[in-house]
Amino acid sequence: MSDNVLKVENVTMQFGGVVAVDNVNLEVNAGEIVSLIGPNGAGKTTAFNVITGVYPPTNGVVYFEGKKIVENYPRGKMKKLYKTENNGAYTHAIEPTPDKITRMGVARTFQNIRLWSSQTVFENILIAKHCRVTAGLLSATFRMNKLEERRQREECDELLRILGLEGVRNELATSLPYGQQRRVEIARALATQPKLLLLDEPAAGMNPQETQELTAFISRIRTDFRLTVFIIEHHMALVMDISDRIYVLDFGKLIASGTPAKVQNDQRVVDAYLGVSEDA
Amino acid sequence: MKRNRIPQFFIIVGAFLLLLAVVLMLDNVPGVPVMLLIVLRKGAIYALVAVSMNILNGFTGLFSLGQAGFMLLGAYTYAILTVPVENQALVYQRYPNGGIGFSVTESLGRVLGQPGLLLGVIICLILGGIVAGVFAYLIGLPVLRLKSDYLAIATLGFAEIIRAVVQYEKLGPITNGSNLLSNFTNFSNFHLGSLKLDTVMPFVFAGVCIWVITLIINSTYGRAFKAIRDDEVAAEAMGINLANHKRMSFIISSFFAGISGAMLAMYQASVQATIFKAAMTYEILLIVVLGGIGSISGSIIAAFLFVGSSEWWLRFLDNTTVLPNFNAKLLFAIIFAAIVVSIVFLVVYRQNKAQKSRPEAVGRGRKILSLKLSGVITLVVGTLLLLGDLRFLISPDLQVPLLRSGFRMVVFSIIVMIVVLFFSRGLMGDRELPDLFRTRHKRL
Ligand SMILES: Nc1ncnc2c1ncn2[C@@H]1O[C@H](COP(=O)(O)OP(=O)(O)OP(=O)(O)O)[C@@H](O)[C@H]1O
Ligand SMILES: [Mg+2]
C-alpha cells in the first residue's frame, strides 16, 4: 500500500447532538511531521482521542500502517441523531481499547499533563515499558524475568540520557517544572516504542525560549527514533517551523491543508484562526 | 540504590528469622500471657488480610468491600477439605453422610507423617485462596468494566450473599449448613520436637504470603497497578490493559484474603459463616486506613495494634469496675485538665505548623481545625451524657464511669475518628518501614 502511517477516513465524532469532528479525512506519511491546528474547541483533541481509541468514532475509519484499526457507523440512538455525511458508508464496528492501539505503535501525550503523580521520572518511563513486557505474572513476581527487566531499565536510562532528564531521574515526576514535565511525558510516550507519536499541545505554557528548544527536540527525536509525528499546537512559530504539512480544523471540519506556506496564506485559515491567534 | 538492595534484603530476612525465634520462645516459655499469644496469632492473620486488601485499595485504587466474603470462601474450603474422615460423622451430625469422605491433610499425614500434614495444610490453604480467586474472577468479569464504585457495591453484596449461601440447608452435607465446622487440622496439630508451633506457624504463613505480595507490588505488574491508581487514562494510553490488570489485582487480593480466611479457621479451630460479616470487612478496612493506604508495613503494624487494642489493651473498658473510697472529684479534675491542656497544645501546634508552611492559610486552617475539634468534643461529651454516668461525682466509691460492656467499641471509634481527622494519611502514609531510615527523601 501507500506509505501513509496514519489515515483518517470520513471520521465523524458526535457527542449527542454536538458534532466535534465532522467528516474529517487526513493522512500522515512515514517520517513526516504533520500539524493539526485550529481555534479552541475545533475538535483537535477529540480527533486524537478517536485515533487513540479513547472514543469510538460515530462514523468512519482509521487506518494505521495500512491496517484498519478503528471503524464505526451510526448505531443505536446515534442512528437518529447523526447529522453529517457518509451515513451508511460503513457497516462494521472495530473498537479497540486505547492500550491495544498503543501496543500497535501509536503513543500520545496529553494536553493537560497526565504523569503518574506518585512515581519518579524514571518509574514513569519504566511503567510505560510495561506494555512491551513478555513475562507473565508468576515469572515477574519471582524475578525470573531479570534479563528483560534489566534491559528495560537500561533502555529507560538511555531514554533519560537522550532527553537530558538524567539529572531528575529520581525526582517525583509531578514536582518538576512544567516544561520538564512535558518532556517526561514525551519520554514516557517514546518508551512504549511507537512508530507514530501524537503530541497534544506540547508547547502549551512554554515561553519562546522553551518553545524553540522543544522545536529542535521534536525534529531530533523524529530522526533518532525514526518516528512519524502528528502534533496539535497553537504556537504558530513552532508549527510553521517544524511541519511538513498542516491540517486546519474549524468547528470540526477540515478547512485547509498543505504546506506551511500555503496554509499561512489561505484566506479561510486567516479568518478562522491565524488572525485571532496573532494577538493571543 | 542497587548497592543498597542486597543488604536490605538480608536485614529483612534476618529480622524475620529473629522474630520467629522470639515468637517460638514466647509460645513455649511458661508464664507468657495468653492474651499476648492470641494477639500475635490473630494479628499475623489480620496483617495478611489487611495487606491483601491494600493490594486493591491502596495499590490499584479500586475499592472493594468483599474481604470477609473471600475469607469465608477460603475458610470453608480449607475446613471442608481437612476434617479427618473419622470426625466427619461427628461434625456433620445433622447431615447423615455429610462431609466429602476424605481429608487431604489426613491422607497426606498418614503417608508422610508430620511433613505430609504440613504439605496437606499448605495445599488446602492454597486451594482456599484459589476458590476465592475464582469467585473474584467471576465477579470481576462484569463489574470491572464499569466505573470503580460498582466494585464496592458488588463485592459487599457478594460477601452477604455468599454468607447466606453456605448456610443454605441443601448445601449442608458439604458446608454443614449454619453449624460449626470443626475438628479439622489446625495449628496445634504441629510440633517441632516438644515445641508448640501455634504462633510461629501463622507468622511463617503470613510472612511468606506478604513477602510474595511485596514481590508482586514491586514487579512490573505492581508498577502497572500503581499507574492505574495514579491515572487510569494515562495508564491505558501507555498500553496497560485496564480490565486485565484490574482483574489481576482483584484476583490476587482475593486469593490472599482466601488464604487468610483459611488461616483464621485454623486459628479458631472452628469456622462458622456468621463471623464473616460486613463488620469484619470494616475492621480490615480500618486497619488499612490506620496503617496508611498504600503501605504494606503500615498495614502490618496497624493490624497488630488493632488486634492488640480490641482483644487486649482496651478490654478493661468492657468491664464494670468499682474503686472503693476513691476521690473522684480529684480524678475528674485531672482528666478535665488533661483534656484542656491537650486541646490547647494541639491548637497551638497546628497553628505553628500552618503558619510555617502557608501563612495565608492560617485562618482557614484554624477554622477547619476548630470544626474538627468541636466535632470530637461534641462526640465525647455526647457519649458521656448519653451514657449518663456522672453519678460518680457524688459517691465516695468510684464506679469508674462509662466502663461497661460495649464501651470498648465506642472508644475505638473515637480513636479511629481522631486518626482519620488529624492523621488522614494513616500511620505510614504510603511509605514503607525502610523509608523511615533512609536519609535522603526524594519522595515526599
Ligand atoms: N467527552 C465529551 N463529551 C461532550 N462533548 C465533548 C467531549 N469532548 C469534547 N467535547 C466537545 O467537543 C468539542 C471539541 O473539543 P476538543 O477538546 O476536541 O477541542 P480542541 O480543538 O482540542 O480545543 P482546545 O484548543 O481548547 O484544546 C468541544 O465543543 C467540546 O465541548
Ligand atoms: Mg485540545
Side-chain angles (χ1 to χ4, degrees):
Chain A
M1 277 194 62
S2 70
D3 64 346
N4 62 47
V5 169
L6 176 74
K7 185 172 168 205
V8 171
E9 189 182 281
N10 299 328
V11 163
T12 296
M13 180 75 229
Q14 224 176 292
F15 296 105
V18 179
V19 187
V21 174
D22 192 347
N23 202 43
V24 163
N25 286 278
L26 54 82
E27 283 178 31
V28 181
N29 297 320
E32 270 187 321
I33 296 182
V34 175
S35 294
L36 181 62
I37 63 172
N40 289 105
K44 308 179 293 295
T45 301
T46 307
F48 266 27
N49 284 339
V50 168
I51 295 166
T52 54
V54 175
Y55 307 130
T58 315
N59 190 42
V61 183
V62 178
Y63 296 90
F64 175 62
E65 295 189 311
K67 214 179 111 217
K68 210 182 256 187
I69 56 168
V70 173
E71 175 171 359
N72 205 0
Y73 60 98
R75 290 181 284 163
K77 68 173 183 171
M78 271 305 155
K79 232 185 224 168
K80 272 201 204 121
L81 288 172
Y82 193 71
K83 283 182 180 165
T84 63
E85 299 150 66
N86 283 310
N87 195 351
Y90 305 100
T91 51
H92 288 278
I94 309 173
E95 302 175 4
T97 46
D99 57 282
K100 198 167 169 205
I101 292 180
T102 305
R103 287 196 298 274
M104 289 175 191
V106 182
R108 72 174 294 181
T109 63
F110 293 91
Q111 182 170 357
N112 43 348
I113 302 174
R114 281 177 173 271
L115 291 168
W116 294 304
S117 54
S118 73
Q119 309 294 311
T120 64
V121 170
F122 181 75
E123 286 164 339
N124 262 277
I125 293 166
L126 186 59
I127 293 171
K129 285 248 171 250
H130 180 72
C131 67
R132 301 293 173 204
V133 161
T134 56
L137 176 64
L138 279 181
S139 59
T141 300
F142 296 104
R143 307 295 187 259
M144 291 180 283
N145 61 341
K146 278 222 165 79
L147 271 180
E148 185 179 57
E149 175 92 10
R150 182 166 343 123
R151 182 174 50 76
Q152 288 199 337
R153 282 174 182 271
E154 280 164 9
E155 284 169 5
C156 291
D157 272 321
E158 174 72 7
L159 254 175
L160 285 178
R161 202 184 49 74
I162 295 172
L163 303 206
L165 289 165
E166 65 274 65
V168 292
R169 183 184 189 276
N170 298 321
E171 303 284 344
L172 269 187
T174 43
S175 70
L176 299 180
Y178 206 67
Q180 259 178 337
Q181 286 195 35
R182 289 228 172 262
R183 207 170 260 241
V184 175
E185 236 201 359
I186 295 175
R188 186 177 70 170
L190 289 175
T192 65
Q193 298 167 355
K195 294 164 194 153
L196 172 65
L197 181 63
L198 306 180
L199 302 173
D200 196 343
E201 304 200 15
M206 287 188 175
N207 60 34
Q209 157 89 30
E210 285 173 320
T211 307
Q212 211 164 33
E213 279 172 23
L214 184 78
T215 312
F217 172 71
I218 293 171
S219 310
R220 207 183 70 197
I221 57 173
R222 158 168 67 168
T223 31
D224 286 359
F225 294 87
R226 286 200 217 92
L227 284 174
T228 306
V229 186
F230 193 23
I231 310 179
I232 295 176
E233 192 42 75
H234 279 300
H235 281 63
M236 278 311 124
L238 186 152
V239 171
M240 295 303 161
D241 200 13
I242 207 175
S243 311
D244 296 316
R245 288 184 303 117
I246 297 174
Y247 286 99
V248 188
L249 214 53
D250 191 22
F251 291 112
K253 277 196 163 67
L254 271 187
I255 55 167
S257 65
T259 60
K262 184 182 159 216
V263 166
Q264 216 162 4
N265 298 319
D266 190 303
Q267 193 50 47
R268 276 177 307 176
V269 179
V270 175
D271 289 347
Y273 188 78
L274 293 179
V276 188
S277 126
E278 218 70 6
D279 43 317
Chain B
M1 203 166 143
K2 212 157 211 165
R3 232 179 301 131
N4 232 335
R5 188 157 283 166
I6 305 243
Q8 191 180 314
F9 176 75
F10 284 113
I11 288 171
I12 290 172
V13 170
F16 186 61
L17 289 178
L18 196 72
L19 184 71
L20 288 185
V22 171
V23 169
L24 184 65
M25 200 194 70
L26 289 176
D27 231 353
N28 291 284
V29 173
V32 174
V34 181
M35 263 308 170
L36 177 64
L37 294 176
I38 289 178
V39 167
L40 288 176
R41 288 169 201 167
K42 209 173 164 192
I45 295 166
Y46 267 56
L48 176 57
V49 212
V51 171
S52 81
M53 192 172 199
N54 219 337
I55 299 175
L56 204 62
N57 293 17
F59 290 100
T60 320
L62 290 171
F63 197 58
S64 142
L65 290 173
Q67 233 59 6
F70 294 112
M71 289 174 76
L72 178 147
L73 284 171
Y76 267 78
T77 306
Y78 176 83
I80 290 165
L81 290 174
T82 59
V83 178
V85 178
E86 69 264 21
N87 292 346
Q88 288 184 358
L90 178 75
V91 172
Y92 292 92
Q93 277 174 27
R94 280 189 47 213
Y95 302 96
N97 292 324
I100 52 171
F102 67 95
S103 158
V104 175
T105 45
E106 190 190 33
S107 311
L108 284 167
R110 196 175 303 134
V111 184
L112 300 168
Q114 183 103 250
L117 201 63
L118 180 64
L119 182 66
V121 167
I122 293 172
I123 289 173
C124 293
L125 284 177
I126 292 174
L127 283 175
I130 289 175
V131 169
V134 167
F135 272 82
Y137 172 78
L138 294 175
I139 298 168
L141 274 184
V143 170
L144 288 175
R145 287 174 203 285
L146 304 171
K147 245 183 67 194
S148 53
D149 317 358
Y150 290 95
L151 186 64
I153 299 163
T155 48
L156 191 64
F158 157 76
E160 292 301 306
I161 291 166
I162 201 76
R163 191 156 51 82
V165 167
V166 296
Q167 298 184 64
Y168 179 45
E169 203 62 14
K170 291 264 160 58
L171 289 177
I174 298 168
T175 63
N176 210 12
S178 52
N179 309 303
L180 276 178
L181 278 170
S182 60
N183 281 306
F184 45 79
T185 314
N186 63 45
F187 293 127
S188 60
N189 293 105
F190 291 92
H191 297 279
L192 192 68
S194 62
L195 295 175
K196 286 195 294 175
L197 298 174
D198 285 42
T199 317
V200 176
M201 289 193 55
F203 266 73
V204 173
F205 288 156
V208 169
C209 288
I210 291 173
W211 172 67
V212 172
I213 291 173
T214 321
L215 286 179
I216 294 174
I217 294 295
N218 292 325
S219 77
T220 177
Y221 287 91
R223 293 194 295 260
F225 294 163
K226 290 181 228 170
I228 293 174
R229 170 193 67 189
D230 284 356
D231 189 330
E232 194 171 294
V233 174
E236 196 174 29
M238 293 304 127
I240 296 170
N241 186 311
L242 293 184
N244 282 354
H245 284 80
K246 285 179 178 177
R247 192 182 314 131
M248 196 185 287
S249 166
F250 186 39
I251 292 172
I252 294 168
S253 168
S254 307
F255 174 80
F256 287 106
I259 289 186
S260 61
M263 283 167 61
L264 192 67
M266 290 182 84
Y267 157 74
Q268 295 178 332
S270 70
V271 49
Q272 193 169 20
T274 44
I275 65 158
F276 297 98
K277 290 213 175 84
M280 184 180 256
T281 302
Y282 295 136
E283 283 182 357
I284 299 156
L285 180 62
L286 211 90
I287 294 173
V288 173
V289 172
L290 289 183
I293 293 174
S295 168
I296 289 177
S297 38
S299 288
I300 298 172
I301 295 167
F304 283 101
L305 289 179
F306 175 86
V307 175
S309 326
S310 83
E311 300 280 325
W312 190 11
W313 304 318
L314 297 183
R315 272 282 165 195
F316 73 93
L317 296 170
D318 270 3
N319 306 329
T320 335
T321 316
V322 177
L323 305 173
N325 281 323
F326 198 88
N327 193 339
K329 283 180 185 136
L330 180 66
L331 178 78
F332 185 73
I334 292 173
I335 293 176
F336 191 74
I339 291 176
V340 170
V341 167
S342 54
I343 288 176
V344 167
F345 174 78
L346 252 175
V347 171
V348 171
Y349 168 76
R350 281 260 145 180
Q351 223 164 290
N352 279 351
K353 219 167 77 175
Q355 227 147 16
K356 251 174 235 156
S357 54
R358 279 187 310 158
E360 77 283 357
V362 169
R364 206 172 56 96
R366 201 183 302 163
K367 208 181 274 169
I368 292 170
L369 180 81
S370 46
L371 262 175
K372 285 177 178 177
L373 269 179
S374 56
V376 174
I377 292 168
T378 317
L379 210 101
V380 173
V381 173
T383 355
L384 275 167
L385 290 180
L386 263 180
L387 297 176
D389 228 340
L390 298 170
R391 255 171 312 143
F392 69 92
L393 283 176
I394 40 171
S395 140
D397 294 347
L398 175 70
Q399 180 188 352
V400 183
L402 302 175
L403 296 195
R404 70 186 53 179
S405 166
F407 185 58
R408 184 175 50 121
M409 291 322 284
V410 175
V411 171
F412 213 84
S413 313
I414 293 173
I415 295 178
V416 168
M417 208 177 79
I418 291 172
V419 169
V420 171
L421 284 176
F422 294 105
F423 310 95
S424 54
R425 289 165 55 74
L427 269 174
M428 305 283 290
D430 59 359
R431 291 169 305 175
E432 295 297 346
L433 211 48
D435 294 342
L436 300 183
F437 304 117
R438 222 161 263 157
T439 37
R440 261 157 37 108
H441 277 288
K442 279 287 187 197
R443 306 160 132 263
L444 277 173

